Amino acid sequence: AAFLAYLAQRAEEITTADVSIDGENIEVLFSSDADVGAVYAAVQDLLQAFRDELAEASITLKRGDGEEQTFYLDQDNVAVDIALFLLDGLSPEQFLSQMKTIVADYTAWAKDNYGVEFTLAGSLKFQSVWSFDNYWFYEDLGIGLSEFRIQLWNVPQATHFELKIEGAGTQRAAVNDCIKESTLLLSKDPANFEVWLFSSEVDEVPFAIASCEGSPGDNYGRLVIHDTWSVRPTVEPASEFSVYISIAGAAYYELHGEGFENPLAKKPIGEPILSASIYFTEPSELIVRFYDSEEATEPIAIARCSGADGDKFGKLIYQ
């Protein structure tokens, strides 16, 4: 217990990765844009923590494929050998850029500087995580198909998504699942990719639109979610108008139309505005004003709805 407490304290001092100790389990997280040397450096830093407290030690690692190998604290280049064993043929660049997760079981024998012997057993997890909150990536399956995935950290209402490539759609998938698509299509310019986010499996209208950042040939990048308007028919001719926005401080919104006699009632962000007037109005004639409180009379932002007659959703263009 004393050694584990010491190890947890030393883990907090490691700067090449985010190292955490939970009981006898060790987790090492890397940012996907980290320097490749960080992979070896993190192993070296962990081993140095062992060396400073132990006179002798050995560790046996067992990968998920059943392969196992024993390493000794005093052997030459042991940090490199452990990293290569865990990577199992992957280069550090591939591990980081493809955001891989490597898990191995370990058992360790050790003798501290006072001659006390003890054993440890747990899991060792190395994981590369995207440095941005929201991202897209795909993995080539090697059979002419690839898996396209998205990762969302701050959009809890998103349950499903669709991918549009140069305007052509794909099947819908849950946000924690993947879309299988032709590798040839996914190797095109990500600037022509668009991701539609839905709040349910059956929702016909996305609540938000996202763009994929990157260059031709990239297989991962930032997912940029745009401020979006959407309209959902209820009982004709009434419709529900909603917005998805990222404006700091915005708490309420109000909808204006060029043909409206008065603006539609102010609503809290996240609550739809119900009106028949929306059904007969082109999106470009709809203007949304955002307020920091229900009582406010001066908007903190104003946006126009982009789109053509008949569109049910589109980006908000701020004025």
Side-chain angles (χ1 to χ4, degrees):
F3 177 76
L4 288 173
Y6 155 81
L7 193 61
Q9 181 180 355
R10 288 293 299 270
E12 294 179 358
E13 301 172 4
I14 295 175
T15 59
T16 51
D18 184 7
V19 182
S20 60
I21 311 293
D22 181 12
E24 298 184 11
N25 299 320
I26 303 172
E27 182 177 73
V28 185
L29 296 180
F30 301 87
S31 173
S32 62
D33 60 354
D35 184 85
V36 294
V39 178
Y40 297 119
V43 178
Q44 183 61 52
D45 290 344
L46 271 174
L47 287 175
Q48 191 58 50
F50 278 80
R51 288 192 183 99
D52 290 346
E53 191 73 6
L54 303 176
E56 299 178 59
S58 66
I59 182 170
T60 299
L61 298 176
K62 185 177 182 180
R63 294 193 309 245
D65 60 4
E67 288 293 317
E68 64 179 67
Q69 189 170 335
T70 299
F71 303 89
Y72 297 90
L73 193 62
D74 59 354
Q75 76 184 59
D76 293 338
N77 299 318
V78 64
V80 173
D81 292 341
I82 289 176
L84 291 175
F85 176 78
L86 291 172
L87 289 170
D88 189 23
L90 280 176
S91 69
E93 293 91 343
Q94 290 172 319
F95 165 72
L96 291 169
S97 67
Q98 296 177 18
M99 289 166 286
K100 294 291 188 179
T101 299
I102 298 170
V103 180
D105 294 326
Y106 81 89
T107 53
W109 169 87
K111 180 191 291 186
D112 68 18
N113 293 325
Y114 303 97
V116 178
E117 298 183 19
F118 60 93
T119 59
L120 299 172
S123 65
L124 178 60
K125 180 180 180 180
F126 274 43
Q127 185 176 13
S128 172
V129 295
W130 186 243
S131 54
F132 305 119
D133 285 343
N134 304 311
Y135 62 89
W136 65 271
F137 66 100
Y138 77 86
E139 183 174 3
D140 188 349
L141 301 179
I143 53 175
L145 288 176
S146 288
E147 291 182 345
F148 181 93
R149 299 178 183 271
I150 62 172
Q151 180 66 62
L152 304 173
W153 292 108
N154 57 358
V155 194
Q157 62 268 53
T159 63
H160 292 76
F161 74 102
E162 292 180 8
L163 171 65
K164 306 295 177 181
I165 303 175
E166 297 178 347
T170 65
Q171 79 271 28
R172 187 175 301 190
V175 294
N176 59 351
D177 203 349
C178 68
I179 289 174
K180 285 187 169 63
E181 188 53 84
S182 163
T183 299
L184 181 62
L185 286 175
L186 289 176
S187 65
K188 294 186 175 182
D189 190 348
N192 296 321
F193 295 2
E194 193 171 75
V195 175
W196 294 357
L197 301 177
F198 297 85
S199 56
S200 75
E201 185 177 7
V202 297
D203 196 354
E204 295 181 1
V205 180
F207 70 84
I209 304 168
S211 299
C212 297
E213 287 190 347
S215 302
D218 288 352
N219 66 339
Y220 67 95
R222 186 197 295 264
L223 189 67
V224 180
I225 303 177
H226 302 284
D227 288 4
T228 306
W229 65 270
S230 57
V231 172
R232 289 162 180 78
T234 54
V235 179
E236 288 192 5
S239 298
E240 287 184 347
F241 180 92
S242 301
V243 292
Y244 174 84
I245 62 163
S246 57
I247 305 172
Y252 286 80
Y253 73 109
E254 189 175 72
L255 184 62
H256 297 245
E258 293 186 0
F260 295 4
E261 185 174 341
N262 295 298
L264 300 182
K266 191 181 294 182
K267 291 282 188 178
I269 300 295
E271 187 175 319
I273 293 175
L274 181 65
S275 173
S277 303
I278 303 168
Y279 183 83
F280 300 103
T281 307
E282 290 189 18
S284 61
E285 297 177 355
L286 294 174
I287 297 174
V288 189
R289 295 181 179 176
F290 299 96
Y291 301 87
D292 56 11
S293 69
E294 187 174 11
E295 299 77 20
T297 57
E298 290 295 324
I300 62 173
I302 300 174
R304 183 178 292 273
C305 298
S306 67
D309 190 20
D311 287 351
K312 295 180 180 179
F313 62 96
K315 298 176 185 176
L316 288 168
I317 308 300
Y318 289 94
Q319 302 177 346

